[in-house]
Amino acid sequence: MRKIAEHKKDEFISIASHELNTPLTILKGYLQLSKEALENNNVEETKLFLSRSGNQVEKLHNLVIDLLDLTRIEAGKLQFCHDSFHFDTFIENIQQNFQFTNPQIQIIRTGKADVSIFGDKNRIEQVIHNYLSNAVKYTNQCKEIYLSIQITEKEQIEVSVRDEGIGIAKEKQAQIFNKFYRVQEDSICFQGLGLGLYICAQIIKEHHGEYGVISEEGKGSIFYFRIPINHQMN
Ligand code: ADP
């Protein structure tokens, strides 16, 4: 039993190191190219390589945040800070920020939730950001992502993110929110630790919500969550 746990730990350290090392190596390369472009007084190239360096820093940052959150979840110490906030304004900000950092993608937003809800704004943003980032990541040539908001009959806010990307086979969908789960075939082409959706699930549970995925392999996916508008936190 102990041997299996040790083996799993070693395997995780090996994957995590590899995942951290990849953006770091690319970052080093782009910084070197930026330096050379600057020495040649090529402002446009300098800007381009610095912007690409920024993308790699963002990847590293996200990986480290996931690892920190995992440690906190395991220790039962994932902190939440609940407050009241206006949902449409909140979504508008997320869309703008995401659009700014992903200009190659168009986010098409539909629906409204002109209400105030009580919850942890930063953590809910983390869930939406994760859904959006995955929609970009697991999409081959698509340029559009659909973000829909609605208030359900049960007085919940429903947020869904739809992409027209690679999709997920039916038999794998049940495991997609599990810790470290990655669709085997995707792990070769796409980087990741298989932690993002697991963390999302913990955040939504804390808000007494529901989450899930509707997907068809090769056609795309819809990731959604619903959280009650009015509820008392424990
Ligand atoms: P990571 O992306 O770091 O592997 P996640 O927990 O965010 O971790 O996702 C788990 C797995 O679910 C991914 O490895 C991928 O196989 C699958 N997945 C997540 N989002 C999508 C999506 N929008 N389209 C297709 N597959 C997805």
Side-chain angles (χ1 to χ4, degrees):
M1 199 66 177
R2 215 166 132 185
K3 268 208 153 155
I4 298 174
E6 278 291 315
H7 177 72
K8 282 216 160 229
K9 197 178 91 190
D10 289 349
E11 194 179 271
F12 174 67
I13 292 174
S14 148
I15 295 171
S17 316
H18 173 77
E19 290 302 316
L20 290 168
N21 198 36
T22 307
L24 208 52
T25 310
I26 302 173
L27 174 65
K28 262 175 79 181
Y30 278 132
L31 286 177
Q32 179 61 33
L33 287 170
S34 314
K35 191 169 161 261
E36 285 167 19
L38 195 66
E39 280 163 3
N40 293 331
N41 287 325
N42 193 332
V43 178
E44 283 314 306
E45 275 201 348
T46 310
K47 275 193 205 163
L48 176 73
F49 295 138
L50 281 178
S51 141
R52 290 189 180 165
S53 306
N55 292 342
Q56 299 306 315
V57 171
E58 177 78 16
K59 276 190 187 167
L60 274 171
H61 186 219
N62 289 338
L63 282 168
V64 171
I65 285 182
D66 279 359
L67 285 170
L68 282 172
D69 280 348
L70 173 70
T71 326
R72 290 183 189 126
I73 291 169
E74 306 279 91
K77 284 185 187 154
L78 193 63
Q79 298 281 330
F80 288 88
C81 183
H82 295 279
D83 210 344
S84 185
F85 61 94
H86 184 252
F87 208 78
D88 273 345
T89 316
F90 163 74
I91 282 287
E92 175 71 35
N93 282 333
I94 296 178
Q95 182 181 358
Q96 275 180 14
N97 290 340
F98 196 83
Q99 193 69 80
F100 186 71
T101 46
N102 294 274
Q104 78 285 11
I105 295 281
Q106 199 193 348
I107 302 173
I108 298 164
R109 180 157 56 106
T110 53
K112 275 174 101 44
D114 187 12
V115 289
S116 282
I117 76 155
F118 192 67
D120 187 322
K121 201 174 167 179
N122 292 332
R123 289 290 179 191
I124 298 173
E125 175 168 357
Q126 187 178 347
V127 176
I128 300 170
H129 192 273
N130 220 301
Y131 281 8
L132 289 171
S133 302
N134 278 349
V136 174
K137 181 161 141 189
Y138 297 103
T139 293
N140 287 328
Q141 299 294 327
C142 302
K143 294 260 175 282
E144 283 154 1
I145 285 170
Y146 303 84
L147 172 64
S148 313
I149 318 295
Q150 65 159 323
I151 296 177
T152 69
E153 284 171 1
K154 290 189 197 163
E155 292 289 293
Q156 297 162 306
I157 286 191
E158 182 182 281
V159 177
S160 61
V161 174
R162 177 165 76 82
D163 65 65
E164 291 166 347
I166 61 171
I168 304 154
K170 286 271 171 295
E171 68 277 11
K172 292 179 178 152
Q173 292 173 14
Q175 298 173 73
I176 216 84
F177 286 87
N178 292 352
K179 183 164 58 175
F180 301 137
Y181 185 79
R182 308 202 70 215
V183 175
Q184 199 79 49
E185 306 82 72
D186 301 347
S187 358
I188 308 154
C189 314
F190 305 94
Q191 287 174 263
L193 288 171
L195 284 176
L197 290 178
Y198 169 70
I199 296 166
C200 290
Q202 311 313 307
I203 295 172
I204 299 157
K205 279 184 204 160
E206 169 73 23
H207 287 84
H208 306 272
E210 304 159 3
Y211 54 84
V213 62
I214 302 162
S215 182
E216 201 176 323
E217 207 174 2
K219 295 246 168 95
S221 311
I222 303 173
F223 279 85
Y224 65 86
F225 71 85
R226 300 184 195 106
I227 46 176
I229 298 172
N230 292 310
H231 68 267
Q232 295 298 311
M233 301 311 299
N234 301 324

